Amino acid sequence: MTLFSLTGVRQVFEGRTVLDIEHLELSAASSYSLQGPNGSGKSTLLNILAFLEPPTAGEIRFQGRVVDWREKTLHLLRRKVVLVDQHPIMFSTTVIKNVEYGLRMRGIPSRKRRAAAEAALERVGLHAFADRQAHRLSGGETQRVAIARALACEPDVMLFDEPTASVDVENQALIEAVIQDIRRQQRVSVIFATHKRLEAARLAERRIFLFAGKVTGPGGENVLSGIIAHRPDRSVCTLGPTVELEVRQRLPSGPVRIAVKPEGIRVYSAAERQNVAFTSVLHSGRVLQMTLEGDAVKLHVDIGIPLKTVLSRDEAVDSGIMVGDTVRVAIDPDAIQAVQG
């Protein structure tokens, strides 16, 4: 079942397009991570999905119905979708009263409200904190109270904006455990923005990558700043002191940001003699790190700029490449997306 369907959605602030999604569908009872660099549109998309701000243009369907952005309709939708902000605001009262707040706004009777708030605090491991002053909690504890406040309302969808960005390691583990617990409830869908690749791998069934407001393939980890120059036969982007990559998009000369999709990066051992289909340019590099992620191996290579790519386990074994090895790296120009700035 489709949860959200976005068609032609654009968000413009002060003449600048910060979100431009041609089409995106999110399924119910699933978990999604939103990934991408700062300014890619993650928080803007979350605010739209939470019905907190209407898009400048486009159509959004929620649970099969077109969203009507009139306030009386949004009031009902906001009961189904709750956003937990990166820096949640606590009222200057007790923890339990903070958790009860949404229920009180809905007119839930006092006894039922208290029972739901206590159950939510139990789920986030803060039942003993019920009568403490909320504004005196640590950052991680505050984030967990905010999650409890959302859980008490029993939403269909929970949205999180960088849920562990500003918390210590202990609270990070606790928050991740709560999100995993929410995922196991098939009725509740989870969508969260994160910069943490491993967190996304642990918590999300599906990953959505944003770059310059657009949905793109994996590449959010390979975002770099450079300068485009035009030559008679091609356009190149200079990154760092020595690296030049071919760019097939037609952009004016000057500063740009580029995203390189990992699947467009091929790594060969120094001894390997293999034809490279998409480019004759080979960059000399060194393998800095190899990490196992599910059925894939992620390589972090340095060719004068840092890049990350992915191999299957079999490809990694067959290549014989090890950390510290000198390698040759080929980059498909079609895997490069550039935007001005």
Side-chain angles (χ1 to χ4, degrees):
M1 175 182 170
T2 300
L3 180 67
F4 286 101
S5 178
L6 285 69
T7 304
V9 170
R10 296 176 66 243
Q11 188 65 288
V12 180
F13 292 135
E14 298 179 350
R16 184 172 68 92
T17 300
V18 296
L19 197 67
D20 187 2
I21 297 178
E22 183 176 339
H23 186 70
L24 178 65
E25 285 198 0
L26 306 177
S27 299
S30 296
S31 55
Y32 292 87
S33 66
L34 303 179
Q35 295 173 255
N38 289 336
S40 61
K42 301 187 299 298
S43 294
T44 299
L45 178 56
L46 284 177
N47 284 333
I48 290 174
L49 297 180
F51 310 115
L52 298 178
E53 58 185 49
T56 305
E59 178 186 88
I60 297 176
R61 290 178 176 267
F62 176 66
Q63 296 179 333
R65 296 185 177 183
V66 176
V67 174
D68 180 346
W69 291 95
R70 291 179 298 177
E71 192 61 33
K72 66 178 182 179
T73 306
L74 295 177
H75 178 70
L76 298 174
L77 292 176
R78 288 169 186 158
R79 293 189 172 194
K80 296 184 176 184
V81 182
V82 178
L83 171 63
V84 179
D85 195 67
Q86 183 178 349
H87 301 290
I89 296 173
M90 292 287 118
F91 301 110
S92 298
T93 184
T94 62
V95 166
I96 193 75
K97 288 184 178 179
N98 270 273
V99 177
E100 288 182 5
Y101 176 75
L103 300 172
R104 187 165 61 250
M105 292 299 99
R106 298 180 184 188
I108 304 299
S110 176
R111 183 176 297 179
K112 188 175 181 180
R113 195 167 67 223
R114 178 84 184 194
E118 288 179 345
L121 283 172
E122 186 72 42
R123 291 185 66 181
V124 301
L126 290 176
H127 188 267
F129 285 55
D131 296 321
R132 294 195 187 183
Q133 292 297 305
H135 64 280
R136 294 180 179 173
L137 299 177
S138 70
E141 291 163 351
T142 298
Q143 189 76 353
R144 288 157 64 195
V145 171
I147 294 172
R149 186 164 58 193
L151 285 170
C153 295
E154 298 185 340
D156 292 347
V157 186
M158 289 193 66
L159 310 176
F160 299 87
D161 194 357
E162 301 283 355
T164 64
S166 305
V167 305
D168 56 64
V169 173
E170 180 181 7
N171 277 289
Q172 176 180 330
L174 290 168
I175 289 168
E176 287 192 4
V178 171
I179 294 175
Q180 287 174 330
D181 180 59
I182 295 168
R183 282 181 54 197
R184 296 187 187 102
Q185 296 185 45
Q186 293 302 307
R187 189 182 62 81
V188 181
S189 303
V190 173
I191 305 168
F192 64 97
T194 182
H195 281 93
K196 299 178 180 179
R197 170 174 48 84
L198 293 178
E199 180 174 84
R202 286 191 294 267
L203 302 181
E205 296 168 296
R206 305 176 190 180
R207 289 187 263 183
I208 298 168
F209 295 86
L210 294 172
F211 178 67
K214 295 179 180 290
V215 176
T216 183
E221 294 170 310
N222 294 324
V223 176
L224 304 155
S225 297
I227 297 176
I228 279 189
H230 301 292
R231 297 178 180 171
D233 58 337
R234 60 189 180 130
S235 298
V236 298
C237 181
T238 301
L239 302 119
T242 60
V243 179
E244 290 186 349
L245 302 181
E246 181 180 353
V247 176
R248 289 182 175 166
Q249 289 172 265
R250 296 301 297 178
L251 293 174
S253 299
V256 293
R257 298 179 77 203
I258 68 166
V260 186
K261 298 178 182 179
E263 64 266 28
I265 303 171
R266 297 289 183 269
V267 179
Y268 305 100
S269 67
E272 190 174 1
R273 295 180 179 277
Q274 183 167 346
N275 292 327
V276 182
F278 48 70
T279 179
S280 59
V281 177
L282 289 171
H283 305 269
S284 178
R286 181 169 169 267
V287 178
L288 301 180
Q289 187 178 31
M290 299 176 70
T291 56
L292 185 63
E293 293 187 12
D295 294 328
V297 176
K298 181 152 286 189
L299 271 69
H300 186 173
V301 298
D302 182 1
I303 63 169
I305 55 173
L307 290 174
K308 293 180 181 179
T309 187
V310 178
L311 301 176
S312 69
R313 289 193 188 194
D314 289 342
E315 288 173 332
V317 171
D318 291 343
S319 73
I321 294 171
M322 304 289 288
V323 173
D325 283 357
T326 298
V327 293
R328 298 182 303 164
V329 178
I331 301 171
D332 184 355
D334 289 330
I336 298 172
Q337 181 181 357
V339 294
Q340 285 184 276

